[in-house]
Amino acid sequence: AQNVPNSDWEKKVTEYFKEKLKENNATNWVPSLNDVPVHYLKPNSLVKFRCMVQDMFDPEFYTGVYETVDLNTNARVLHFGKYRDVAECGPQQEIDFNSSKTVTSERQTFYCVPVPGESAWVKEISFLTELVLSRVSPSTSYTPSRHKRSYEEDEDMDLHPSKQKEQHTGNSRSGGDIHGCVEPKRLETEASAGHHLASTNCSPPLDLNFPLPGEKGPACLVKVYESWDSFKVNDVLEVYGVLSVDPVLSIVNSEERDSSTLDPMECMDTTEEQRVHSPPASLVPRIHVILAQKLQHINPLLPACLNEEESKTFVSNFMSEVSPVRAELLGFLTHALLGDSLAAEYLILHLISTVYARRDVLPLGKFTVNLSGCPRNSIFTEHIYRLIQQLVPASYRLQMTVENMNRSRFIPRKDYAANRLVSGVLQLASNTSLVVDETQLEQGQLDTTGVRNVTALGNLITWQKVDYDFSYHQMEFPCNINVLITSEGRSLLPSDCQVHLQPQIIPPNMEEYMNSLLTAVLPSVLNKFRIYLSLLRLLDYSISEEVTKAVEEDFVEMRKNDPESITADDLHRTLLVARFLSLSAGQTTLSRERWLRAKQLEALRKARLQQQKCVNGNEL
Amino acid sequence: AIPLDFDISSPLTYGTPSSRVEGTPRSGVRGTPVRQRPDLGSVRKARQVDLHSDGPSEDVVATEQSLGQKLVIWGTDVNVASCKEKFQRFLQHFIDPLAKEDEDIGLDLNKPRYMQRLEEINMVGEPFLNVNCDHLRSFDENLYRQLICYPQEVIPTFDMAANEIFFDHYPDSILEHQIQVRPYNALKTRNMRSLNPEDIDQLITISGMVIRSSQLIPEMQEAFFKCQVCAFTTRVEIDRGRIAEPSVCKNCNTTHSMALIHNRSMFSDKQMIKLQESPEDMPAGQTPHTVALFAHNDLVDKVQPGDRVNVTGIYRAVPIRVNPRVSSVKSVYKTHIDVIHYRKTDSKRLHGVDEETEQKMFTVERVEILKELSEKQDIYERLSSALAPSIYEHEDIKKGILLQLFGGSRKDFTRTGRGNFRAEINILLCGDPGTSKSQLLQYVYNLVPRGQYTSGKGSSAVGLTAYVMKDPETRQLVLQTGALVLSDNGICCIDEFDKMNESTRSVLHEVMEQQTLSIAKAGIICQLNARTSILAAANPVESQWNPKKTTIENIQLPHTLLSRFDLIFLMLDPRDEAYDRRLARHLVSLYYRTEEKMEEEYMDMAVLRDYIAYARSYINPRLSEEASQALIEAYVDMRKIGSGRGMVSAYPRQLESLIRLAEAHAKVRFSEKVETIDVEEAKRLHREALKQSATDPRTGIVDISILTTGMSATARKRKEELAQALRKLIQSKGKMPALKYQQLFDDLRAQSDAAVTKEMFEEALRALADEDFLTVTGKTVRLL
C-alpha cells in the first residue's frame, strides 16, 4: 500500500495523533495497559501506558524501509518498517537485504515499569474515568462481557466506600504491601501470565525488575523513535503507541538457541542478556511510541498539564477553596497524629515539599521530617503510612530492620552479564513519598550491604541523589523523593527537621481508632486532599524585596541575642518552613505574617526538643 | 585480489597457517603465507568493474582519470592500483611534522616514519603495521576518505602495498605471515552515542571501557566437506557467518552426500567483548550505552574488563533471522564492531606520562572562548566566585581551592636525584560544624573529572591505597586501587579528616609529599603514582572551635601531617552583624529565585571545568627573574620574623608552597611566566591562611612554628623560662643531692606568678633532665 519513501509522512503521523488526542477527552478512549490485561488488547492497536523509565537499552537499528521479492513472480514491493518489530512478508516472498532501497533507521528502547509505589486510588480513579467514557464509545479492543463485569464491581465498590476500605485494610496485613486492594481482574492477569510462561516452558520465571518488592503490573519495552535524548532514567511518561505482541518475538529466544552454531550473532549475547532484552511478548509487550510526554504528576484528579488554558480555570477554582481544605486536612492529620496539631502542621509542609532547584550540589526545597517520639512496636506507624498512601499518588514504606537493611537491594546496580540495570528500592520516580520506619529497628550488626544501604539512604536525604553502582564506577542520579522518618528517639539518618510527637489522646484501640478515621472522611473530601497536596507542590513562589529586608533584620537581631543557637542552618530551615507555609495557604509570595508564623512554629518545635532533652537527661 | 600462493588445500596441512611450513627457508612476498583477516569480515570477492562497461556507474564518484585507470571495486570509487600506489608513496615519504607521541621512542623524526616501522617489523618479527589515520589524512585527504568509507576494500590493498615494499627492502626476512596494516585514530566518530546507521561498514574509532569479555570462540573460516560416496573433497568459504553446504557432489552427482569434516576445516580465534561508553561521555540522567566488539586472532585477550580503550574497527549491522522456515524477519539489526586496533588509554598512567594533553580535546571555538576569558582583568575573582556559588563568602578559601584545582607546574628533578617535586596543592579546611565544609567538598568532587570523595570515618588505609583481591571469575589476584590512586591527577576529598584513625592517616604522609604509594602485600610489591591533591575537612576536637587555643590544639593532628598542607583555612562563624545581614540576603534569594536566573549570574560549571582542564594541560608556567627575586625576598622575610625571637619559623616547605601557589595563579591567567603579581597573591593567600591557622591566641602574633613544631613560639619560650626558673630554684637551695618531687613542685608554684600545672612542671623537669642537670626517679629528684 505504501508508495515512495517520503520523510514527511512520519511527521504527519505524530501531528495527526496529537491533534486527534486533543479532541474531547480522546485520551480516555485509548485503552491503557495499566488497567487492561495485555491479552484483552488487540495486537497492533493504539494503547497508552503510564510508566517510569527503569532502564535504557542500547539504540537499535531497524529496517526503516525494506524490499521484498516474490519468489514466483519476482515482483518487488517496498515496505515500511517503522512502528513494527517484525519485517513482514508473504509466504512466497523473501526480503532482499542487499537492495539499494533499504533504509536503515535508528530507534531507542526503554524498559518501562508502572510507576513504583503508585497508590491504589490512582489506579482506581484513572480506570473509572476510562470506563465511563469507553462505555459511551466502546473501544475496539475490549471484550464487552468482561468489561461490564468489572465495571459493575467497581461501581459496587464505589457505592459502598466503607466496604471498600474494610476490604482494603483487611487485605494488607504486612506493611510493605502497597497494593492492598488488588482488583480481581489483576489476579487474573497474573494467572494468565503464569500460564503463558508455562506454555513456553523454557526458563524460570522472568524477573520483571520492579524497583519495589511486591509490585505488580505489566513491564513494557517502549520503543522511541524521536528525541529520545530528552528522556531520562526515572522519568514518568505517558506514552501512546502501537501495541506489539507478535508471538514471533517470543519464538526468537527458544529457536535461536538450537539453530546453527555458526550464526555469528549467536555468541554475541549471553542467554541471560537475551532473556532480558527480548522477553516473551506476552509478559513484556512492546509499545512503538507515536507520542510520549513526561508527566509532571500522576494524580488523575488533576489535569495532566497545568500550563494549558482549561487547566488554569481548574486551578483558580480550586485555589478559591484552599483555606477550608487546608483546615480540614489539618484536622484530619491532627487526629491521625493523636491530637498533635504541630506535628500535623509539619506533616502538611512535608507533603507539599519538592526539590524545586539545585544550586550546584545543594538541592533546594527538600524537607525531610523526622517524626520522633513514635511509640515503639505499635501499629501506629503502619497506620500513619496507610493514611499517607491514601493522600499521595505514590509512596513506599521502608521498614528499617537490621535484616531488611542487610538483605534488600537499595542501590540499582548494573548487571553486566544480562546488560541491564537491576533495580533497587531507591529507584523511585520524582515526588514519591518514602516513609522510613525506624521504630522497627532492633540492635544488631549491619554487614557491608547494610552499611552501604544506610549510607545510600543518608545521601538520598542530604543530597537528593543516588549513586548507581556500575561496578567499575558509580554514577550519580539526582532524585526528588520526600522522606519521612518515624522513629522513637532521634533518627540515625540525617533529616532537615525533627518534630517530636506529643500525643494528646491515647486511644485504647489504635487499630479501631485509625480505621474509623479513614471511614469518617467522605470520598469527595479525600479527593480534595489529594488535589490539594499534588497541586500546591507545583506552584511557583517568590519573596518580595520588602520581606527580604525584614527577614534580614530579623536574622541579624536573632543572632545578636543568641549567637550560639541561631546559625545559618536555622535560617535555611525557617525559610523553608515559611515557603511551604505560604504555599500551603495558597499564597505564592511570602508575607510578614507568614514569616512570623514560621518562626513561631520553629520556636514551638525547638522548645519541644529542648524539653525532650531535659526529660531524657533526668531519666539518665 | 590477494595472491594466494600458499596451498591450503593440501591434505597434510592442518592448524594455523604458520605451522604449515612447506619449503624452507621461505622468504619474500611469495613465500610468506597470507593470513586471513577475519576482522575485515569474510572478504566479499572484490568485484572490479570497468567503468566503460555496463557497471552501475552511479556508484562511482570520482576516478583517477589522470592515471588512466578505469577499474574500480564494485560499489566503491576505489581503484586498486592507484590506491596501492598512493599508499606506498605515503609509507615511503611520510614524515610527521608534529611528532611527539610517546610511541615515537627510538624513531628518527626526520626520516619517513613508516619505513622505520617496517624496519622494526623486520627486526622484531611482529607482522603488524599500525598506521595513524591522522597522518594519512594530512598526506592524502582522498585516500583517507576512501579508507574511512570502504575499509573492507581499502585495507587489503594497503596490506598488499605494505608487503610489497617490505619484501623489496628485506627480501630475506622471515615473518610468521604477511604484514597486516592496522589503521587507528580514525576521526570519524569519537563517542558511542553518536554512532548512527550512516556509520555502518565504515571505519570508526570510539573510546570506552571494557566491561565483559567472552571465552575464546573458534570460528570457522573455511569448511571442509567430503562426499560420503566417492570421498571427493571440497572447501567452502564462510560467507557472512553461513556455510553454503553443497547439496550435490560435483564428482559423483549424489545429492546430500557431503559431510563436514571438522578437524580439516579452518578456524580462527574470536572473542566477543562488550564496550561501555566512558562515564565522561554520558549525559546526566541516562544510562551508558554499550556496543559489542569482535576481536580476532592475536587481538583476542588483549584487553581485560575494566580497561579504558580506544577501539578502531569496522561497524557492522547484521539482520537477525528469526527462523529459516518462517519468512518474516525481525526488523532489527544486530550491531557490532570488528576490531582492527586497540589502544589502551590508561595503561600509560602508571608510567608518569601526562596523558591529559592527548585526551581532552578542545574545539577551536572553545579555546577561543577560554582565551578570551583569560584576558579579562578580573578572571581570578570571576573564577573564584563561580566556584560553589551557593556557598556564601569565604572568598579566600574559594581562591585557595581554585588554585588547588589548577595546581603548580610539575618539575622533574629525577636526574639530580631529588625525584619529582610535588605540583599539587593540599588544603585543609577546619572549622565549626555546619559551615558548609562538606558542601564545598562535594562541589569540588563534582567539578573535577577524577575526583574521589571519602569520609575519614568510614575509610580504612586499604580503602585509600590499594588492596589485593581475588577475582571471583578468573581466580587471579588483582590489585584493586583505592581512592588515592583513583584520584591520581585529580583531587581526593576527605571529609571528617579528624575522625580518621591513626594508621590510615599515616598513609597520607607518603602521598602528600612524595606523591606515590608503596604497597607490599600478598607478594605484590609496587609503587603506584598518586599525584593527587588533597582537600580535607576537619572538625575541631571539642566539636566547637575554642578561640583560646591554637589551631593545632583545636584539631590535634600530628604536625608532620599539618606541615604538608600548603594552606590551612579556618571556617568559623564570624558573628558579625554586617556578615549576618549579607548571609541572610544571600540565603533568602536562594529560596525564591528560579534556576535559570541563578545560572545567568555565574559562570557555567562546564566552562569552569573546561577552563581548568585547558590550563592544566596546556599551561606550564616558569618562574621569571623578578618573580624568583620576589620569592626569595618573601622567604627571607619569613625567616627573619622568626629569627628575631631566636628561632627558625619558616622552612623550605613553605617556600615550595609559595612557588606552587604562584604557579597556579599564573595558570589562572593562562600565563607561561610567573610574574611578581602571582607571587604577591601567593604571599597574600599564604599569609591569610596562616594568619588564621598560625596565630598564637595568647599573643595574637602569626607564628609559623606552630605549624612546624606543633607548639607556638611563646609556648616554647614559656616552657624554657619555667625550666630556667626551676633550675634557679634548685640552685638556690644549695648543694643537695636529692629533692622531694612534691616539695619542689610546691616551691615552684609559690615562686612563680603564673599558674603552674603539674604537666608544665613535669615538662620543665624533663627539659632539665635532657640537659643532664638532674634525673627523676619515682618521687625524688636527684641532681647530677
Side-chain angles (χ1 to χ4, degrees):
Chain A
Q2 291 106 338
N3 296 319
V4 200
N6 176 4
S7 60
D8 274 353
W9 74 272
E10 299 181 359
K11 257 184 218 147
K12 276 183 192 150
V13 168
T14 37
E15 285 298 314
Y16 176 80
F17 278 98
K18 207 178 258 174
E19 285 308 310
K20 277 286 169 197
L21 286 172
K22 260 189 198 156
E23 288 165 20
N24 45 22
N25 289 324
T27 49
N28 287 327
W29 300 0
V30 181
S32 164
L33 215 55
N34 295 82
D35 311 312
V36 186
V38 180
H39 54 278
Y40 285 112
L41 291 172
K42 226 192 215 166
N44 301 326
S45 64
L46 185 70
V47 293
K48 68 176 175 190
F49 187 39
R50 185 176 65 247
C51 56
M52 185 187 85
V53 180
Q54 191 268 327
D55 193 5
M56 292 167 157
F57 292 159
D58 295 328
E60 59 185 22
F61 292 172
Y62 67 98
T63 45
V65 176
Y66 60 94
E67 198 173 24
T68 54
V69 189
D70 195 306
L71 293 178
N72 298 330
T73 60
N74 239 353
R76 292 178 160 263
V77 185
L78 277 185
H79 299 267
F80 281 113
K82 205 177 176 183
Y83 305 125
R84 309 169 172 219
D85 279 308
V86 174
E88 279 171 21
C89 59
Q92 284 304 310
Q93 291 174 344
E94 199 172 54
I95 294 170
D96 180 13
F97 279 106
N98 293 327
S99 161
S100 58
K101 286 172 185 157
T102 304
V103 176
T104 310
S105 318
E106 196 180 4
R107 67 184 174 208
Q108 169 90 48
T109 309
F110 295 155
Y111 187 84
C112 294
V113 295
V115 181
E118 193 176 63
S119 300
W121 61 268
V122 173
K123 294 187 209 280
E124 254 168 60
I125 291 171
S126 42
F127 185 50
L128 280 178
T129 36
E130 272 152 35
L131 277 182
V132 171
L133 279 156
S134 58
R135 194 159 61 164
V136 182
S137 155
S139 161
T140 47
S141 44
Y142 283 97
T143 38
S145 65
R146 228 207 71 77
H147 162 196
K148 211 166 199 167
R149 198 185 78 208
S150 70
Y151 177 65
E152 271 161 14
E153 267 168 17
D154 283 308
E155 203 169 40
D156 194 18
M157 281 180 153
D158 209 31
L159 288 172
H160 308 281
S162 59
K163 185 181 152 202
Q164 178 202 343
K165 300 279 146 54
E166 273 165 24
Q167 208 179 29
H168 167 80
T169 43
N171 264 342
S172 45
R173 250 160 259 109
S174 76
D177 191 355
I178 304 150
H179 303 281
C181 51
V182 178
E183 294 153 62
K185 83 175 163 58
R186 296 214 167 266
L187 290 173
E188 211 175 299
T189 325
E190 285 143 46
S192 62
H195 170 73
H196 273 266
L197 202 69
S199 67
T200 46
N201 74 26
C202 52
S203 41
L206 192 74
D207 174 17
L208 289 181
N209 212 3
F210 293 130
L212 300 175
E215 286 267 274
K216 289 172 187 96
C220 199
L221 284 172
V222 172
K223 313 251 175 183
V224 187
Y225 287 83
E226 48 200 39
S227 60
W228 52 76
D229 284 341
S230 62
F231 300 110
K232 288 178 173 159
V233 174
N234 301 351
D235 273 351
V236 175
L237 308 179
E238 181 150 65
V239 296
Y240 292 87
V242 181
L243 178 74
S244 161
V245 283
D246 201 318
V248 177
L249 293 171
S250 323
I251 297 172
V252 175
N253 307 312
S254 45
E255 293 250 335
E256 218 165 31
R257 231 160 282 162
D258 44 54
S259 70
S260 106
T261 46
L262 283 168
D263 193 325
M265 295 307 108
E266 183 61 14
C267 49
M268 194 139 107
D269 301 330
T270 57
T271 42
E272 277 155 278
E273 188 169 345
Q274 275 184 15
R275 261 163 58 79
V276 167
H277 286 254
S278 36
S282 52
L283 274 179
V284 182
R286 277 69 163 162
I287 295 180
H288 294 269
V289 174
I290 296 171
L291 279 180
Q293 62 178 109
K294 279 193 221 178
L295 294 181
Q296 275 181 299
H297 63 87
I298 53 166
N299 193 335
L301 299 164
L302 246 64
C305 188
L306 288 171
N307 301 330
E308 278 166 28
E309 229 18 78
E310 307 99 83
S311 25
K312 278 199 178 123
T313 48
F314 174 90
V315 174
S316 57
N317 280 345
F318 187 81
M319 291 316 273
S320 61
E321 48 166 352
V322 152
S323 314
V325 174
R326 185 185 199 278
E328 240 173 301
L329 180 61
L330 184 66
F332 175 68
L333 290 178
T334 308
H335 281 296
L337 293 167
L338 309 175
D340 186 342
S341 62
L342 183 72
E345 189 82 53
Y346 271 96
L347 191 57
I348 292 181
L349 303 185
H350 164 75
L351 288 174
I352 61 165
S353 71
T354 183
V355 177
Y356 60 92
R358 273 170 204 274
R359 204 61 198 280
D360 36 71
V361 288
L362 187 74
L364 297 174
K366 62 165 181 113
F367 194 63
T368 307
V369 170
N370 174 206
L371 192 66
S372 62
C374 295
R376 190 173 176 75
N377 292 332
S378 94
I379 44 166
F380 173 70
T381 48
E382 190 186 322
H383 280 278
I384 289 294
Y385 169 65
R386 213 166 280 169
L387 281 179
I388 289 175
Q389 207 182 0
Q390 284 296 319
L391 296 174
V392 300
S395 58
Y396 179 64
R397 177 174 179 229
L398 182 67
Q399 301 190 54
M400 214 172 150
T401 59
V402 170
E403 199 201 357
N404 235 339
M405 299 311 278
N406 283 341
R407 287 256 188 92
S408 36
R409 193 174 52 227
F410 277 27
I411 313 159
R413 173 179 62 85
K414 178 86 175 182
D415 175 359
Y416 284 116
N419 196 13
R420 70 161 168 185
L421 191 65
V422 179
S423 194
V425 173
L426 296 185
Q427 188 175 19
L428 296 173
S430 276
N431 288 328
T432 304
S433 276
L434 181 67
V435 180
V436 181
D437 189 358
E438 211 183 89
T439 57
Q440 311 266 333
L441 197 62
E442 301 275 346
Q443 278 190 11
Q445 193 178 0
L446 288 181
D447 58 20
T448 337
T449 335
V451 174
R452 266 165 52 104
N453 284 343
V454 175
T455 321
L457 207 52
N459 276 341
L460 169 76
I461 293 169
T462 338
W463 306 111
Q464 286 287 333
K465 62 165 192 179
V466 180
D467 286 318
Y468 290 14
D469 180 6
F470 280 81
S471 161
Y472 301 100
H473 60 100
Q474 293 191 327
M475 229 159 61
E476 189 180 299
F477 284 82
C479 55
N480 183 2
I481 297 169
N482 292 19
V483 187
L484 175 71
I485 308 163
T486 53
S487 63
E488 207 185 356
R490 190 191 145 89
S491 165
L492 67 92
L493 296 167
S495 65
D496 293 313
C497 130
Q498 185 193 356
V499 186
H500 197 83
L501 191 69
Q502 276 184 347
Q504 305 296 314
I505 12 165
I506 311 280
N509 186 341
M510 188 74 82
E511 180 102 43
E512 221 168 73
Y513 175 80
M514 287 295 197
N515 285 340
S516 63
L517 255 182
L518 258 185
T519 40
V521 189
L522 291 173
S524 62
V525 176
L526 200 57
N527 279 348
K528 287 237 168 85
F529 291 168
R530 291 163 179 169
I531 297 174
Y532 174 84
L533 292 178
S534 300
L535 184 64
L536 292 182
R537 178 180 274 168
L538 300 168
L539 293 182
D540 288 326
Y541 176 74
S542 66
I543 301 178
S544 68
E545 191 59 27
E546 193 185 340
V547 179
T548 309
K549 272 257 155 52
V551 171
E552 250 174 67
E553 291 299 328
D554 237 18
F555 181 66
V556 173
E557 198 59 34
M558 284 191 290
R559 291 268 294 181
K560 241 189 223 159
N561 298 336
D562 189 2
E564 285 299 323
S565 60
I566 305 285
T567 61
D569 274 352
D570 291 294
L571 182 60
H572 258 288
R573 193 180 311 116
T574 319
L575 280 165
L576 263 182
V577 171
R579 177 191 171 95
F580 298 128
L581 207 57
S582 306
L583 287 178
S584 76
Q587 295 184 349
T588 52
T589 52
L590 179 63
S591 66
R592 183 125 183 87
E593 293 71 48
R594 297 273 164 222
W595 170 249
L596 291 177
R597 171 83 182 128
K599 267 175 62 183
Q600 190 190 350
L601 279 180
E602 278 292 285
L604 279 173
R605 185 182 67 84
K606 277 191 190 161
R608 247 189 218 192
L609 287 182
Q610 209 58 42
Q611 192 185 342
Q612 194 55 32
K613 238 181 228 166
C614 293
V615 171
N616 283 342
N618 289 342
E619 274 171 4
L620 289 168
Chain B
I2 304 167
L4 256 175
D5 297 278
F6 170 64
D7 182 18
I8 343 177
S9 57
S10 160
L12 293 171
T13 55
Y14 159 65
T16 50
S18 59
S19 64
R20 297 187 265 175
V21 178
E22 294 186 347
T24 44
R26 58 188 165 78
S27 62
V29 71
R30 302 263 134 197
T32 310
V34 171
R35 176 180 279 188
Q36 275 188 312
R37 295 197 62 161
D39 50 354
L40 300 180
S42 51
V43 184
R44 285 188 245 139
K45 284 280 170 269
R47 251 208 285 166
Q48 292 200 2
V49 182
D50 190 345
L51 276 187
H52 291 311
S53 66
D54 53 321
S57 50
E58 73 268 18
D59 285 332
V60 181
V61 186
T63 46
E64 304 298 313
Q65 294 294 341
S66 56
L67 287 167
Q69 308 272 16
K70 300 288 179 280
L71 283 178
V72 293
I73 296 176
W74 187 76
T76 72
D77 62 353
V78 179
N79 176 294
V80 175
S82 81
C83 175
K84 193 164 105 184
E85 200 263 341
K86 274 196 267 183
F87 187 65
Q88 285 181 339
R89 219 168 48 219
F90 167 74
L91 291 182
Q92 282 162 337
H93 301 295
F94 180 75
I95 297 168
D96 189 2
L98 314 153
K100 71 180 266 255
E101 273 175 81
D102 41 283
E103 287 171 31
D104 286 337
I105 303 154
L107 285 194
D108 185 345
L109 296 181
N110 300 319
K111 285 189 186 156
R113 178 191 171 84
Y114 289 102
M115 292 314 284
Q116 297 180 66
R117 284 266 174 246
L118 287 177
E119 193 186 331
E120 218 173 85
I121 290 174
N122 181 35
M123 286 187 296
V124 180
E126 264 188 15
F128 301 103
L129 180 67
N130 295 332
V131 174
N132 190 337
C133 293
D134 216 17
H135 294 164
L136 192 61
R137 192 168 64 147
S138 63
F139 188 80
D140 186 336
E141 192 86 35
N142 191 40
L143 191 61
Y144 168 78
R145 185 190 54 77
Q146 286 183 336
L147 171 66
I148 296 299
C149 296
Y150 315 109
Q152 193 165 309
E153 288 78 18
V154 173
I155 295 175
T157 318
F158 282 6
D159 281 353
M160 274 195 302
N163 279 304
E164 276 177 25
I165 294 189
F166 181 77
F167 289 107
D168 269 357
H169 278 78
Y170 313 103
D172 301 327
S173 182
I174 296 171
L175 293 179
E176 198 185 328
H177 54 85
Q178 290 200 2
I179 294 175
Q180 299 188 351
V181 174
R182 290 184 170 164
Y184 67 95
N185 198 16
L187 294 174
K188 176 82 184 154
T189 309
R190 291 232 136 231
N191 189 333
M192 205 175 289
R193 220 159 260 273
S194 51
L195 285 179
N196 64 47
E198 278 159 30
D199 293 326
I200 290 174
D201 284 332
Q202 305 211 332
L203 191 72
I204 54 167
T205 297
I206 54 169
S207 62
M209 189 169 62
V210 178
I211 51 168
R212 200 155 56 85
S213 61
S214 74
Q215 301 274 316
L216 188 144
I217 307 157
E219 191 189 38
M220 196 178 274
Q221 283 299 314
E222 204 176 49
F224 187 91
F225 286 98
K226 189 176 173 185
C227 176
Q228 302 288 62
V229 179
C230 65
F232 172 78
T233 61
T234 182
R235 289 168 180 280
V236 182
E237 259 194 59
I238 309 296
D239 184 28
R240 270 165 282 172
R242 297 196 172 268
I243 315 169
E245 191 183 335
S247 51
V248 183
C249 173
K250 276 186 210 148
N251 194 33
C252 61
N253 275 334
T254 324
T255 52
H256 302 297
S257 66
M258 303 297 278
L260 181 75
I261 311 292
H262 265 275
N263 54 5
R264 288 182 59 183
S265 303
M266 257 176 54
F267 292 89
S268 67
D269 294 347
K270 178 169 150 184
Q271 186 181 33
M272 200 276 286
I273 290 153
K274 271 269 156 107
L275 193 73
Q276 181 184 286
E277 70 185 316
S278 24
E280 298 92 64
D281 292 342
M282 244 176 308
Q286 303 207 348
T287 56
H289 286 177
T290 57
V291 69
L293 308 178
F294 283 142
H296 302 273
N297 291 332
D298 65 308
L299 287 178
V300 168
D301 272 344
K302 272 280 160 64
V303 289
Q304 302 284 321
D307 285 349
R308 301 273 189 105
V309 289
N310 276 329
V311 175
T312 305
I314 304 174
Y315 196 42
R316 306 278 189 192
V318 186
I320 308 170
R321 195 164 287 273
V322 172
N323 185 331
R325 287 177 297 261
V326 180
S327 51
S328 55
V329 168
K330 217 172 155 184
S331 63
V332 183
Y333 292 101
K334 278 275 181 190
T335 53
H336 69 265
I337 295 172
D338 277 321
V339 181
I340 291 177
H341 185 274
Y342 281 129
R343 190 176 146 116
K344 285 195 201 182
T345 45
D346 58 353
S347 60
K348 284 174 283 172
R349 213 156 104 201
L350 295 177
H351 305 310
V353 181
D354 200 34
E355 88 281 14
E356 271 170 308
T357 22
E358 298 283 335
Q359 229 174 36
K360 186 91 189 176
M361 298 284 283
F362 293 97
T363 58
V364 183
E365 302 90 70
R366 195 70 171 174
V367 173
E368 274 310 307
I369 293 173
L370 297 179
K371 288 229 167 100
E372 208 170 287
L373 260 178
S374 73
E375 306 278 311
K376 294 232 161 71
Q377 272 298 308
D378 57 343
I379 182 65
Y380 182 50
E381 281 71 26
R382 221 175 243 255
L383 289 174
S384 73
S385 63
L387 202 71
S390 68
I391 297 161
Y392 188 62
E393 293 222 327
H394 296 302
E395 287 307 322
D396 279 333
I397 296 176
K398 284 188 189 172
K399 281 178 181 167
I401 291 176
L402 186 72
L403 294 187
Q404 179 182 37
L405 291 171
F406 282 90
S409 313
R410 196 159 284 157
K411 307 164 204 72
D412 192 356
F413 287 102
T414 357
R415 274 182 220 141
T416 50
R418 242 212 87 170
N420 281 322
F421 262 49
R422 166 159 72 98
E424 281 73 19
I425 295 169
N426 298 322
I427 294 181
L428 176 68
L429 305 176
C430 180
D432 295 337
T435 41
S436 49
K437 293 190 298 294
S438 306
Q439 213 179 306
L440 254 180
L441 259 57
Q442 274 282 340
Y443 182 87
V444 170
Y445 158 64
N446 279 303
L447 181 71
V448 294
R450 218 173 274 148
Q452 290 291 321
Y453 185 93
T454 67
S455 168
K457 219 192 281 174
S459 47
S460 62
V462 167
L464 279 180
T465 56
Y467 52 98
V468 178
M469 201 186 77
K470 198 167 242 168
D471 189 288
E473 265 175 43
T474 59
R475 318 292 303 154
Q476 282 175 338
L477 285 177
V478 276
L479 196 64
Q480 291 280 335
T481 46
L484 285 172
V485 181
L486 285 177
S487 58
D488 186 26
N489 275 324
I491 292 185
C492 187
C493 302
I494 307 177
D495 208 352
E496 308 198 54
F497 195 62
D498 50 318
K499 311 270 189 316
M500 198 179 259
N501 69 30
E502 209 53 46
S503 62
T504 316
R505 231 185 267 145
S506 65
V507 171
L508 290 170
H509 281 100
E510 186 190 350
V511 173
M512 287 175 69
E513 203 58 62
Q514 272 70 47
Q515 307 275 292
T516 53
L517 259 176
S518 308
I519 291 153
K521 196 170 281 166
I524 296 177
I525 299 165
C526 62
Q527 201 174 45
L528 299 171
N529 275 325
R531 292 155 304 178
T532 164
S533 307
I534 296 205
L535 177 62
N539 285 330
V541 178
E542 297 159 37
S543 86
Q544 202 76 37
W545 190 265
N546 186 345
K548 293 194 184 69
K549 287 182 168 178
T550 61
T551 311
I552 310 301
E553 287 160 335
N554 263 313
I555 29 185
Q556 284 201 356
L557 289 170
H559 61 263
T560 43
L561 199 56
L562 277 185
S563 66
R564 283 173 161 84
F565 284 104
D566 298 85
L567 296 171
I568 299 175
F569 285 110
L570 298 190
M571 290 182 92
L572 299 182
D573 220 344
R575 291 190 192 151
D576 151 35
E577 198 182 311
Y579 172 81
D580 289 348
R581 194 176 297 274
R582 275 174 293 151
L583 176 69
R585 175 162 286 267
H586 173 75
L587 287 182
V588 173
S589 73
L590 274 186
Y591 279 90
Y592 69 85
R593 269 198 290 174
T594 53
E595 210 154 356
E596 299 89 67
K597 260 197 214 154
M598 290 193 271
E599 262 168 28
E600 276 171 25
E601 225 166 281
Y602 298 97
M603 199 187 284
D604 196 5
M605 199 155 157
V607 176
L608 179 63
R609 195 180 281 142
D610 279 1
Y611 193 94
I612 292 170
Y614 185 84
R616 276 182 77 97
S617 40
Y618 294 106
I619 314 288
N620 231 343
R622 302 245 155 250
L623 289 178
S624 69
E625 196 49 47
E626 306 89 77
S628 333
Q629 276 306 321
L631 278 168
I632 293 167
E633 265 165 43
Y635 182 58
V636 170
D637 280 349
M638 276 157 72
R639 301 270 295 194
K640 255 192 215 149
I641 296 169
S643 64
R645 274 178 284 131
M647 62 197 70
V648 181
S649 60
Y651 292 86
R653 257 195 195 145
Q654 265 83 47
L655 178 60
E656 280 174 32
S657 290
L658 272 187
I659 296 173
R660 273 192 288 275
L661 290 171
E663 282 167 349
H665 190 259
K667 271 193 194 177
V668 174
R669 298 184 296 118
F670 277 11
S671 159
E672 284 291 348
K673 245 192 180 135
V674 181
E675 315 263 358
T676 346
I677 46 162
D678 301 318
V679 180
E680 286 306 314
E681 174 58 20
K683 257 165 67 185
R684 190 194 67 80
L685 209 56
H686 197 249
R687 205 172 45 232
E688 281 307 307
L690 269 182
K691 200 191 276 170
Q692 293 178 332
S693 58
T695 308
D696 189 332
R698 267 159 278 209
T699 60
I701 295 166
V702 178
D703 184 352
I704 303 172
S705 61
I706 290 183
L707 289 184
T708 49
T709 63
M711 198 192 288
S712 73
T714 35
R716 228 189 304 175
K717 212 168 192 170
R718 268 207 322 186
K719 199 172 92 180
E720 227 152 89
E721 277 165 9
L722 193 69
Q724 290 314 317
L726 186 61
R727 183 202 282 264
K728 269 194 198 131
L729 179 73
I730 294 170
Q731 280 166 343
S732 69
K733 293 201 177 207
K735 276 259 174 256
M736 274 170 80
L739 293 158
K740 281 252 165 52
Y741 176 89
Q742 194 60 40
Q743 179 70 38
L744 198 61
F745 182 41
D746 291 342
D747 285 353
L748 185 69
R749 274 169 70 163
Q751 186 195 353
S752 66
D753 330 320
V756 178
T757 61
K758 194 154 190 168
E759 287 82 48
M760 286 164 75
F761 173 63
E762 272 174 5
E763 241 173 79
L765 277 180
R766 234 175 288 136
L768 291 180
D770 285 345
E771 290 173 28
D772 285 342
F773 182 68
L774 48 78
T775 57
V776 182
T777 46
K779 288 282 163 206
T780 51
V781 178
R782 275 171 214 290
L783 293 185
L784 294 171

